[in-house]
Amino acid sequence: MIPKRHGKDGQYEVTVPTVQDRVVQASLKLVPEPIFEADRLRARIKDKRILALVKAFLKAGIMTPDGEEESHSGTPQGGILSPLLANIALSALDDHFAGQRQQLMKTAWQRRARRERGLGNRKMIRFADDFVVMVAGERQHAEALREEVSGVLATLGLRLAAEKTRVARIDEGFDFLSITIRRMRKRGTNKDYVYTKPSN
């Protein structure tokens, strides 16, 4: 059990696969990883044995330190398959935002026209299961996006982690992949710059 970040109460679980599970997961990872970069799993892999093995790992329980088995679903942190399966599942989110950007916000003219109509422009950056959606617009645009993201994830049987999800102005700053990103006024000037530094 690892303490939660940002001074929050509680702990979260990082699992350590057994040697046998680690060997099987590493072998299993070799099959789907080169087949695709951003597809869903069932659409590309027809081998029922591979799909059954993935499903088994997604439903596998976790042994607690006292030897009890807890029921579990999803990919626990610490598993070899976790980043790969997160990338596979969340590629639907990538497709959602890439499609919108391509259709509605591709050119500077389109983005300017959206701003003039009071609409926000947005772009998503994702690494495995961590992502940030940047919005050029008002807070209401960002709040609406949270619902939109929740809707896309719901179709995959996933949900946003409330304790890790927030809407922040870039002037307040936010952490992404252990980096704090924040816009601040440069000393001695009247210009704002976006600064990055390792997060606490």
Side-chain angles (χ1 to χ4, degrees):
M1 298 301 287
I2 305 289
K4 288 186 177 176
R5 290 181 290 181
H6 311 302
K8 294 180 180 172
D9 291 336
Q11 298 178 318
Y12 70 96
E13 197 170 57
V14 173
T15 63
V16 180
T18 64
V19 173
Q20 185 177 7
D21 278 354
R22 192 172 285 276
V23 169
V24 174
Q25 286 186 24
S27 301
L28 176 59
K29 186 180 173 192
L30 294 174
V31 176
E33 197 169 39
I35 293 174
F36 55 85
E37 291 182 342
D39 287 325
R40 303 291 301 285
L41 193 60
R42 270 195 203 102
R44 290 293 299 269
I45 296 179
K46 302 299 181 195
D47 188 329
K48 291 182 180 179
R49 295 169 300 172
I50 296 294
L51 294 174
L53 196 52
V54 169
K55 188 175 182 180
F57 274 113
L58 289 174
K59 292 188 171 189
I62 295 173
M63 296 299 286
T64 63
D66 57 4
E68 297 294 318
E69 185 174 335
E70 291 181 355
S71 60
H72 183 76
S73 66
T75 59
Q77 291 187 357
I80 293 172
L81 287 176
S82 296
L84 174 63
L85 294 178
N87 278 331
I88 293 167
L90 292 177
S91 65
L93 197 59
D94 296 338
D95 293 343
H96 177 79
F97 279 100
Q100 283 187 348
R101 189 149 179 96
Q102 182 71 20
Q103 279 187 313
L104 307 172
M105 297 165 253
K106 184 177 180 181
T107 66
W109 180 87
Q110 286 176 310
R111 292 189 295 274
R112 186 173 57 250
R114 285 178 60 83
R115 281 193 303 271
E116 290 169 359
R117 292 193 323 261
L119 301 172
N121 293 307
R122 63 274 190 103
K123 184 175 186 179
M124 185 184 80
I125 306 290
R126 182 177 69 81
F127 182 83
D129 65 343
D130 288 323
F131 62 91
V132 62
V133 183
M134 299 170 293
V135 180
E138 303 297 322
R139 186 173 192 89
Q140 68 202 33
H141 299 130
E143 294 287 355
L145 264 179
R146 186 191 336 228
E147 299 307 313
E148 188 176 325
V149 168
S150 292
V152 173
L153 293 179
T155 65
L156 305 170
L158 302 173
R159 60 182 163 70
L160 288 173
E163 69 276 3
K164 295 181 180 179
T165 306
R166 72 183 187 105
V167 174
R169 292 182 48 80
I170 190 139
D171 297 325
E172 300 167 21
F174 61 92
D175 289 350
F176 181 56
L177 302 177
S178 300
I179 299 291
T180 297
I181 302 166
R182 185 175 177 195
R183 182 172 58 195
M184 296 188 298
R185 179 70 40 96
K186 185 175 180 182
R187 279 192 200 140
T189 72
N190 59 356
K191 291 186 177 181
D192 291 334
Y193 291 91
V194 176
Y195 291 91
T196 60
K197 66 174 188 172
S199 63
N200 294 332

